[in-house]
Amino acid sequence: MVLEEVLRVSNVSKIYTMDGVTFTALDNASFVVHKGEFVAIMGPSGSGKSTLMHIIGGLDRPTEGTVSIAGVDTTRASDHALARVRNSAIGF
């Protein structure tokens, strides 16, 4: 039995630079969620949970890596295509 993949996060990192200071908010996150699975994102304050959710939700783009939702690579999608994915495939 092949499980349908609904979310794939591959080697996702997010790096911010402010006033010459670089801060890594998310470092090389990878996982897959299949149809019917329930997943919790847990960790201490400052571990990158909100950053990861913003990237998965298409509100922010990763510095490195890819996110695919229902087979659509949202990290390379146009703003219009990303809005369609947010409207039809995800919510939080």
Coordinates of all heavy atoms in Angstrom, one line a residue:
M1 N 0.8 -1.2 0.0 CA 0.0 0.0 0.0 C 0.9 1.3 0.0 O 1.8 1.4 0.8 CB -0.9 0.0 1.2 CG -1.8 1.2 1.4 SD -3.0 0.9 2.7 CE -2.8 2.4 3.5
V2 N 0.6 2.1 -0.9 CA 1.4 3.4 -1.0 C 0.6 4.5 -0.3 O -0.6 4.7 -0.7 CB 1.7 3.8 -2.5 CG1 2.4 5.1 -2.6 CG2 2.5 2.7 -3.2
L3 N 1.2 5.2 0.6 CA 0.5 6.2 1.3 C 0.7 7.5 0.5 O 1.8 7.9 0.0 CB 1.1 6.4 2.7 CG 0.9 5.2 3.7 CD1 1.7 5.5 5.0 CD2 -0.5 5.0 3.9
E4 N -0.4 8.3 0.4 CA -0.4 9.6 -0.3 C 0.3 10.6 0.6 O 0.0 10.8 1.7 CB -1.8 10.0 -0.6 CG -1.9 11.3 -1.3 CD -3.3 11.8 -1.5 OE1 -4.3 11.0 -1.3 OE2 -3.5 12.9 -1.9
E5 N 1.3 11.3 0.0 CA 2.1 12.3 0.6 C 1.3 13.6 0.5 O 1.0 14.1 -0.6 CB 3.4 12.4 -0.1 CG 4.5 12.9 0.7 CD 5.8 12.8 -0.1 OE1 6.1 13.8 -0.7 OE2 6.5 11.8 -0.1
V6 N 1.0 14.3 1.7 CA 0.3 15.5 1.6 C 1.3 16.7 1.9 O 1.0 17.8 1.5 CB -0.9 15.6 2.6 CG1 -2.0 14.6 2.1 CG2 -0.5 15.3 4.0
L7 N 2.4 16.4 2.6 CA 3.4 17.5 3.0 C 4.7 16.9 3.0 O 5.0 15.8 3.6 CB 3.1 18.1 4.3 CG 4.1 19.1 4.9 CD1 4.2 20.3 4.0 CD2 3.7 19.4 6.3
R8 N 5.7 17.5 2.3 CA 7.1 17.1 2.4 C 7.9 18.4 2.6 O 7.9 19.4 1.9 CB 7.5 16.5 1.1 CG 9.1 16.2 1.1 CD 9.5 15.4 -0.2 NE 9.0 14.1 -0.2 CZ 9.6 13.0 0.4 NH1 10.7 13.2 1.0 NH2 9.1 11.8 0.3
V9 N 8.7 18.4 3.7 CA 9.6 19.4 4.1 C 11.0 18.8 3.9 O 11.3 17.8 4.6 CB 9.3 19.9 5.5 CG1 10.4 20.9 6.0 CG2 7.9 20.5 5.7
S10 N 11.8 19.4 3.0 CA 13.1 18.8 2.7 C 14.2 19.9 3.0 O 14.3 20.9 2.3 CB 13.2 18.4 1.3 OG 12.2 17.4 1.0
N11 N 15.0 19.6 4.0 CA 16.3 20.4 4.2 C 15.9 21.9 4.3 O 16.7 22.7 3.7 CB 17.3 20.1 3.2 CG 17.6 18.7 3.0 OD1 17.9 18.0 4.0 ND2 17.6 18.1 1.8
V12 N 14.9 22.2 5.0 CA 14.5 23.6 5.1 C 15.2 24.4 6.2 O 15.3 23.9 7.4 CB 12.9 23.7 5.4 CG1 12.5 25.1 5.7 CG2 12.2 23.2 4.1
S13 N 15.8 25.5 5.9 CA 16.4 26.4 6.8 C 15.9 27.8 6.6 O 15.5 28.2 5.5 CB 17.9 26.4 6.6 OG 18.5 25.1 6.8
K14 N 15.9 28.6 7.6 CA 15.6 30.0 7.5 C 16.6 30.8 8.3 O 16.8 30.6 9.5 CB 14.2 30.3 8.1 CG 13.7 31.7 8.0 CD 13.6 32.1 6.5 CE 13.1 33.5 6.4 NZ 12.9 34.0 5.0
I15 N 17.3 31.7 7.6 CA 18.3 32.5 8.2 C 17.9 34.0 8.0 O 17.6 34.4 6.9 CB 19.7 32.3 7.5 CG1 20.0 30.8 7.7 CG2 20.7 33.2 8.1 CD1 21.2 30.3 6.9
Y16 N 17.9 34.7 9.1 CA 17.6 36.2 9.1 C 18.9 36.9 9.3 O 19.8 36.5 10.1 CB 16.7 36.5 10.2 CG 15.3 35.9 10.0 CD1 14.9 34.8 10.7 CD2 14.4 36.5 9.2 CE1 13.7 34.3 10.6 CE2 13.1 36.0 9.1 CZ 12.7 34.9 9.7 OH 11.5 34.3 9.6
T17 N 19.1 38.1 8.7 CA 20.2 39.0 9.0 C 19.7 40.3 9.3 O 18.9 40.9 8.5 CB 21.2 39.0 7.7 OG1 21.6 37.7 7.4 CG2 22.3 39.9 8.0
M18 N 20.0 40.9 10.4 CA 19.6 42.2 10.9 C 20.7 42.9 11.4 O 21.4 42.4 12.3 CB 18.4 42.1 11.9 CG 17.1 41.5 11.3 SD 15.8 41.5 12.5 CE 16.1 39.9 13.2
D19 N 21.0 44.1 10.9 CA 22.1 45.0 11.4 C 23.4 44.2 11.4 O 24.2 44.3 12.3 CB 21.8 45.5 12.8 CG 20.6 46.4 12.8 OD1 20.3 47.1 11.8 OD2 19.9 46.4 13.8
G20 N 23.6 43.4 10.3 CA 24.9 42.7 10.2 C 25.0 41.4 11.1 O 26.0 40.7 11.0
V21 N 24.0 41.1 11.8 CA 24.0 39.9 12.7 C 23.1 38.8 12.0 O 22.0 39.1 11.6 CB 23.4 40.2 14.1 CG1 23.4 39.0 14.9 CG2 24.3 41.3 14.7
T22 N 23.7 37.6 11.9 CA 22.9 36.5 11.2 C 22.4 35.6 12.3 O 23.1 35.3 13.3 CB 23.9 35.7 10.3 OG1 24.4 36.6 9.3 CG2 23.2 34.6 9.7
F23 N 21.1 35.3 12.2 CA 20.4 34.4 13.1 C 19.8 33.3 12.4 O 19.0 33.5 11.4 CB 19.4 35.2 13.9 CG 18.5 34.4 14.8 CD1 19.0 33.9 16.0 CD2 17.2 34.1 14.5 CE1 18.3 33.1 16.8 CE2 16.4 33.3 15.3 CZ 17.0 32.8 16.5
T24 N 20.0 32.0 12.8 CA 19.4 30.9 12.1 C 18.2 30.5 13.0 O 18.3 30.0 14.1 CB 20.4 29.7 12.1 OG1 21.6 30.1 11.3 CG2 19.8 28.5 11.4
A25 N 17.0 30.7 12.4 CA 15.8 30.4 13.1 C 15.3 29.0 12.9 O 14.6 28.4 13.7 CB 14.7 31.4 12.6
L26 N 15.8 28.4 11.8 CA 15.4 27.0 11.5 C 16.6 26.4 10.7 O 17.1 27.0 9.8 CB 14.1 27.0 10.6 CG 13.4 25.7 10.4 CD1 13.0 25.0 11.7 CD2 12.2 25.9 9.5
D27 N 17.0 25.2 11.1 CA 18.2 24.6 10.5 C 18.0 23.2 10.0 O 17.9 22.2 10.8 CB 19.3 24.6 11.6 CG 20.7 24.2 11.0 OD1 20.9 24.4 9.8 OD2 21.5 23.8 11.8
N28 N 17.8 23.0 8.7 CA 17.8 21.8 8.0 C 16.7 20.8 8.5 O 16.9 19.7 8.8 CB 19.2 21.1 8.2 CG 19.4 20.1 7.1 OD1 18.9 20.2 6.0 ND2 20.2 19.0 7.4
A29 N 15.5 21.3 8.5 CA 14.3 20.5 8.9 C 13.8 19.7 7.8 O 13.7 20.2 6.6 CB 13.2 21.4 9.4
S30 N 13.5 18.4 8.0 CA 13.0 17.5 7.0 C 12.0 16.5 7.6 O 12.3 15.9 8.7 CB 14.2 16.7 6.3 OG 15.1 17.5 5.6
F31 N 10.9 16.3 7.0 CA 9.9 15.3 7.4 C 8.8 15.2 6.3 O 8.7 16.0 5.4 CB 9.3 15.6 8.7 CG 8.5 16.9 8.8 CD1 7.2 17.0 8.5 CD2 9.2 18.1 9.1 CE1 6.5 18.2 8.6 CE2 8.5 19.3 9.2 CZ 7.2 19.3 8.9
V32 N 8.1 14.1 6.4 CA 7.0 13.9 5.4 C 5.7 13.6 6.2 O 5.8 12.9 7.3 CB 7.3 12.7 4.5 CG1 6.1 12.3 3.6 CG2 8.5 13.0 3.7
V33 N 4.6 14.1 5.8 CA 3.3 13.8 6.4 C 2.4 13.1 5.3 O 2.3 13.7 4.2 CB 2.6 15.0 7.0 CG1 1.3 14.7 7.6 CG2 3.5 15.7 8.0
H34 N 1.9 12.0 5.7 CA 1.0 11.2 4.8 C -0.4 11.4 5.1 O -0.8 11.8 6.2 CB 1.4 9.7 4.8 CG 2.7 9.4 4.3 ND1 3.8 9.3 5.1 CD2 3.2 9.3 3.0 CE1 4.9 9.0 4.4 NE2 4.5 9.0 3.1
K35 N -1.3 11.2 4.1 CA -2.7 11.4 4.3 C -3.2 10.5 5.5 O -2.8 9.4 5.6 CB -3.5 10.9 3.0 CG -4.9 11.2 3.1 CD -5.6 10.9 1.8 CE -7.1 11.2 1.8 NZ -7.7 11.0 0.5
G36 N -4.0 11.1 6.4 CA -4.5 10.4 7.5 C -3.6 10.5 8.8 O -4.1 10.1 9.9
E37 N -2.4 11.0 8.7 CA -1.5 11.1 9.8 C -1.8 12.4 10.6 O -2.3 13.4 10.0 CB -0.1 11.2 9.4 CG 0.5 9.9 9.0 CD 2.0 10.0 8.7 OE1 2.5 11.0 8.0 OE2 2.8 9.1 9.2
F38 N -1.6 12.3 11.9 CA -1.7 13.5 12.7 C -0.3 13.8 13.2 O 0.4 12.9 13.7 CB -2.6 13.3 13.9 CG -4.1 13.2 13.6 CD1 -4.6 12.0 13.2 CD2 -4.8 14.4 13.6 CE1 -6.0 11.9 12.8 CE2 -6.2 14.3 13.2 CZ -6.7 13.1 12.8
V39 N 0.1 15.1 13.2 CA 1.5 15.4 13.5 C 1.5 16.6 14.4 O 0.7 17.5 14.3 CB 2.3 15.8 12.2 CG1 3.7 16.3 12.6 CG2 2.3 14.6 11.3
A40 N 2.3 16.6 15.4 CA 2.5 17.8 16.3 C 3.9 18.3 16.2 O 4.9 17.5 16.1 CB 2.3 17.3 17.8
I41 N 4.0 19.6 16.1 CA 5.3 20.2 16.1 C 5.6 20.8 17.5 O 4.8 21.7 18.0 CB 5.4 21.4 15.0 CG1 5.2 20.7 13.7 CG2 6.7 22.1 15.1 CD1 5.0 21.7 12.5
M42 N 6.6 20.3 18.2 CA 6.8 20.6 19.6 C 8.3 21.0 19.7 O 9.2 20.5 19.0 CB 6.5 19.4 20.4 CG 5.1 18.9 20.4 SD 4.7 17.4 21.2 CE 5.5 17.6 22.8
G43 N 8.5 21.8 20.7 CA 9.9 22.2 21.1 C 9.9 23.4 22.0 O 8.8 24.1 22.2
P44 N 11.0 23.7 22.6 CA 11.1 24.8 23.5 C 10.9 26.2 22.8 O 11.1 26.2 21.5 CB 12.5 24.7 24.1 CG 13.3 23.9 23.1 CD 12.3 23.0 22.4
S45 N 10.7 27.2 23.5 CA 10.6 28.5 23.0 C 11.9 28.9 22.2 O 13.0 28.6 22.7 CB 10.4 29.5 24.1 OG 10.4 30.8 23.7
G46 N 11.7 29.4 21.0 CA 12.9 29.8 20.2 C 13.4 28.7 19.3 O 14.5 28.9 18.7
S47 N 12.8 27.6 19.3 CA 13.3 26.4 18.5 C 13.0 26.4 17.1 O 13.4 25.6 16.3 CB 12.9 25.1 19.2 OG 11.5 24.9 19.1
G48 N 12.1 27.4 16.6 CA 11.8 27.5 15.2 C 10.4 27.0 14.8 O 10.1 26.9 13.6
K49 N 9.5 26.7 15.8 CA 8.2 26.1 15.5 C 7.4 27.1 14.7 O 6.8 26.8 13.7 CB 7.4 25.8 16.8 CG 8.1 24.8 17.7 CD 7.3 24.6 19.0 CE 7.1 25.8 19.8 NZ 8.3 26.3 20.5
S50 N 7.3 28.4 15.1 CA 6.5 29.4 14.4 C 7.1 29.6 13.0 O 6.4 29.8 12.0 CB 6.4 30.7 15.2 OG 5.6 30.4 16.4
T51 N 8.4 29.7 12.9 CA 9.1 29.9 11.6 C 8.7 28.8 10.7 O 8.3 29.0 9.5 CB 10.6 30.0 11.8 OG1 10.9 31.1 12.7 CG2 11.3 30.2 10.5
L52 N 8.7 27.5 11.2 CA 8.4 26.4 10.4 C 6.9 26.5 9.9 O 6.6 26.2 8.7 CB 8.6 25.1 11.1 CG 8.3 23.8 10.4 CD1 9.0 23.6 9.1 CD2 8.5 22.6 11.3
M53 N 6.0 26.8 10.8 CA 4.6 26.9 10.4 C 4.4 28.0 9.4 O 3.6 27.9 8.5 CB 3.8 27.1 11.7 CG 3.7 25.9 12.6 SD 3.1 24.5 11.8 CE 1.4 24.9 11.5
H54 N 5.1 29.1 9.5 CA 4.9 30.2 8.5 C 5.4 29.8 7.2 O 4.9 30.1 6.1 CB 5.7 31.5 9.0 CG 5.0 32.2 10.1 ND1 5.7 32.7 11.2 CD2 3.7 32.6 10.2 CE1 4.8 33.3 12.0 NE2 3.6 33.2 11.4
I55 N 6.5 29.0 7.1 CA 7.0 28.5 5.9 C 6.1 27.4 5.3 O 5.7 27.5 4.1 CB 8.4 27.9 6.1 CG1 9.4 29.0 6.4 CG2 8.9 27.1 4.8 CD1 10.8 28.6 6.8
I56 N 5.6 26.5 6.1 CA 4.6 25.5 5.6 C 3.4 26.2 5.1 O 2.8 25.8 4.1 CB 4.3 24.5 6.7 CG1 5.5 23.6 7.0 CG2 3.1 23.6 6.3 CD1 5.3 22.7 8.2
G57 N 2.9 27.2 5.8 CA 1.7 27.9 5.4 C 1.8 28.9 4.3 O 0.9 29.5 3.8
G58 N 3.0 29.0 3.8 CA 3.3 29.9 2.6 C 3.3 31.3 2.9 O 3.2 32.2 2.1
L59 N 3.4 31.6 4.2 CA 3.5 33.0 4.6 C 4.9 33.6 4.5 O 5.1 34.8 4.5 CB 3.0 33.2 6.1 CG 1.5 32.7 6.3 CD1 1.2 32.8 7.8 CD2 0.6 33.5 5.4
D60 N 5.9 32.7 4.5 CA 7.3 33.0 4.4 C 8.0 32.0 3.6 O 7.4 30.9 3.4 CB 7.9 33.0 5.8 CG 9.2 33.9 5.9 OD1 9.6 34.4 4.9 OD2 9.7 34.0 7.0
R61 N 9.1 32.3 3.0 CA 9.8 31.3 2.1 C 11.1 31.0 2.8 O 11.8 31.8 3.5 CB 10.1 31.9 0.8 CG 8.8 32.2 0.0 CD 9.0 32.5 -1.4 NE 7.8 33.0 -2.0 CZ 7.1 32.3 -2.9 NH1 7.5 31.1 -3.3 NH2 6.0 32.8 -3.5
P62 N 11.5 29.7 2.7 CA 12.8 29.3 3.4 C 14.0 29.9 2.7 O 14.0 30.2 1.5 CB 12.8 27.8 3.2 CG 12.0 27.5 2.0 CD 10.9 28.6 2.0
T63 N 15.1 30.1 3.4 CA 16.4 30.5 2.8 C 16.9 29.3 2.0 O 17.5 29.6 0.9 CB 17.4 30.8 4.0 OG1 16.8 31.8 4.8 CG2 18.7 31.3 3.4
E64 N 16.7 28.1 2.5 CA 17.2 26.9 1.8 C 16.1 25.8 1.9 O 15.3 25.8 2.8 CB 18.5 26.4 2.3 CG 19.7 27.3 2.2 CD 20.9 26.8 2.9 OE1 20.9 25.7 3.5 OE2 21.9 27.5 2.9
G65 N 16.1 24.9 1.0 CA 15.2 23.7 1.1 C 13.9 23.9 0.3 O 13.7 25.0 -0.3
T66 N 13.1 22.9 0.4 CA 11.8 22.9 -0.3 C 10.7 22.4 0.6 O 10.9 21.6 1.5 CB 11.8 22.0 -1.6 OG1 12.1 20.7 -1.2 CG2 12.9 22.5 -2.6
V67 N 9.5 22.9 0.2 CA 8.2 22.5 0.9 C 7.3 22.2 -0.3 O 7.1 23.0 -1.1 CB 7.6 23.6 1.8 CG1 6.3 23.1 2.3 CG2 8.6 23.9 2.9
S68 N 6.7 20.9 -0.2 CA 5.7 20.5 -1.2 C 4.4 20.2 -0.5 O 4.5 19.4 0.5 CB 6.2 19.3 -2.0 OG 7.3 19.6 -2.7
I69 N 3.3 20.8 -0.9 CA 2.0 20.5 -0.4 C 1.2 20.0 -1.5 O 1.0 20.6 -2.5 CB 1.4 21.8 0.2 CG1 2.3 22.4 1.3 CG2 0.0 21.5 0.7 CD1 1.9 23.7 1.9
A70 N 0.7 18.8 -1.2 CA -0.2 18.1 -2.2 C 0.5 18.0 -3.6 O -0.1 18.2 -4.6 CB -1.5 18.7 -2.3
G71 N 1.9 17.8 -3.6 CA 2.6 17.7 -4.8 C 3.1 19.1 -5.4 O 3.7 19.1 -6.5
V72 N 2.7 20.2 -4.8 CA 3.0 21.5 -5.4 C 4.2 22.0 -4.6 O 4.2 22.2 -3.3 CB 1.9 22.5 -5.3 CG1 2.3 23.9 -5.7 CG2 0.7 22.0 -6.1
D73 N 5.3 22.4 -5.3 CA 6.5 22.9 -4.6 C 6.2 24.4 -4.3 O 6.3 25.3 -5.2 CB 7.7 22.8 -5.5 CG 9.0 23.4 -4.9 OD1 8.9 24.0 -3.8 OD2 10.1 23.2 -5.5
T74 N 5.8 24.7 -3.1 CA 5.4 26.0 -2.7 C 6.6 27.0 -2.6 O 6.4 28.2 -2.6 CB 4.6 26.0 -1.3 OG1 5.5 25.5 -0.3 CG2 3.4 25.2 -1.5
T75 N 7.8 26.5 -2.5 CA 9.0 27.4 -2.4 C 9.3 28.0 -3.7 O 10.0 29.0 -3.7 CB 10.2 26.6 -1.8 OG1 10.4 25.4 -2.6 CG2 10.0 26.2 -0.4
R76 N 8.8 27.4 -4.8 CA 9.1 28.0 -6.1 C 7.8 28.5 -6.8 O 7.9 29.0 -7.9 CB 9.7 26.9 -7.0 CG 11.2 26.6 -6.5 CD 11.8 25.5 -7.2 NE 13.2 25.2 -6.9 CZ 13.6 24.9 -5.7 NH1 12.8 24.8 -4.7 NH2 14.9 24.6 -5.5
A77 N 6.7 28.3 -6.1 CA 5.4 28.7 -6.7 C 5.3 30.3 -6.8 O 5.8 31.0 -5.9 CB 4.2 28.2 -5.9
S78 N 4.5 30.7 -7.7 CA 4.3 32.2 -7.8 C 3.3 32.6 -6.7 O 2.7 31.7 -6.0 CB 3.6 32.5 -9.1 OG 2.3 31.9 -9.2
D79 N 3.2 33.8 -6.4 CA 2.3 34.3 -5.3 C 0.9 33.8 -5.6 O 0.2 33.4 -4.7 CB 2.4 35.8 -5.1 CG 3.7 36.3 -4.5 OD1 4.4 35.4 -3.9 OD2 4.0 37.4 -4.7
H80 N 0.5 33.9 -6.9 CA -0.9 33.5 -7.2 C -1.1 32.0 -7.0 O -2.1 31.6 -6.4 CB -1.1 33.9 -8.7 CG -2.5 33.5 -9.1 ND1 -3.6 34.2 -8.7 CD2 -3.0 32.6 -10.0 CE1 -4.7 33.7 -9.3 NE2 -4.3 32.7 -10.0
A81 N -0.1 31.2 -7.4 CA -0.2 29.7 -7.2 C -0.2 29.4 -5.7 O -0.9 28.5 -5.3 CB 0.9 29.0 -7.9
L82 N 0.6 30.1 -5.0 CA 0.7 29.9 -3.5 C -0.6 30.2 -2.9 O -1.1 29.5 -2.0 CB 1.8 30.7 -3.0 CG 2.3 30.4 -1.5 CD1 2.6 29.0 -1.3 CD2 3.5 31.3 -1.2
A83 N -1.3 31.3 -3.3 CA -2.6 31.7 -2.7 C -3.6 30.6 -3.0 O -4.4 30.3 -2.2 CB -3.0 33.0 -3.3
R84 N -3.5 30.0 -4.2 CA -4.5 28.9 -4.5 C -4.2 27.7 -3.6 O -5.2 27.0 -3.1 CB -4.3 28.4 -6.0 CG -5.0 29.3 -7.0 CD -5.2 28.7 -8.3 NE -4.0 28.0 -8.8 CZ -3.1 28.6 -9.6 NH1 -3.2 29.8 -10.0 NH2 -2.0 27.8 -10.0
V85 N -3.0 27.3 -3.3 CA -2.7 26.2 -2.4 C -3.2 26.5 -1.0 O -3.8 25.7 -0.4 CB -1.1 25.9 -2.4 CG1 -0.8 24.9 -1.3 CG2 -0.7 25.4 -3.8
R86 N -2.9 27.7 -0.6 CA -3.4 28.1 0.8 C -4.9 28.0 0.9 O -5.4 27.6 1.9 CB -2.9 29.5 1.1 CG -1.5 29.6 1.6 CD -1.2 30.9 2.3 NE -1.5 32.1 1.5 CZ -0.6 32.7 0.8 NH1 0.7 32.3 0.8 NH2 -0.9 33.8 0.1
N87 N -5.6 28.4 -0.2 CA -7.0 28.4 -0.2 C -7.6 27.0 -0.2 O -8.7 26.7 0.4 CB -7.6 29.2 -1.4 CG -9.0 29.4 -1.4 OD1 -9.7 29.6 -0.4 ND2 -9.6 29.2 -2.6
S88 N -6.9 26.1 -0.9 CA -7.6 24.8 -1.2 C -6.9 23.6 -0.4 O -7.6 22.6 -0.2 CB -7.5 24.4 -2.7 OG -6.1 24.3 -3.0
A89 N -5.7 23.7 0.1 CA -5.0 22.6 0.6 C -4.6 22.7 2.1 O -4.3 21.7 2.7 CB -3.8 22.2 -0.2
I90 N -4.5 23.9 2.6 CA -3.9 24.0 4.0 C -4.7 25.0 4.8 O -5.4 25.8 4.3 CB -2.4 24.4 4.0 CG1 -2.2 25.8 3.3 CG2 -1.6 23.3 3.4 CD1 -0.8 26.3 3.5
G91 N -4.5 24.9 6.1 CA -5.1 25.9 7.0 C -4.5 25.7 8.4 O -4.2 24.5 8.8
F92 N -4.3 26.7 9.2 CA -3.9 26.6 10.6 C -4.3 27.8 11.3 O -4.6 28.8 10.8 CB -2.4 26.3 10.7 CG -1.5 27.3 10.2 CD1 -1.0 28.3 11.1 CD2 -1.1 27.4 8.9 CE1 -0.1 29.3 10.6 CE2 -0.2 28.3 8.4 CZ 0.3 29.3 9.3

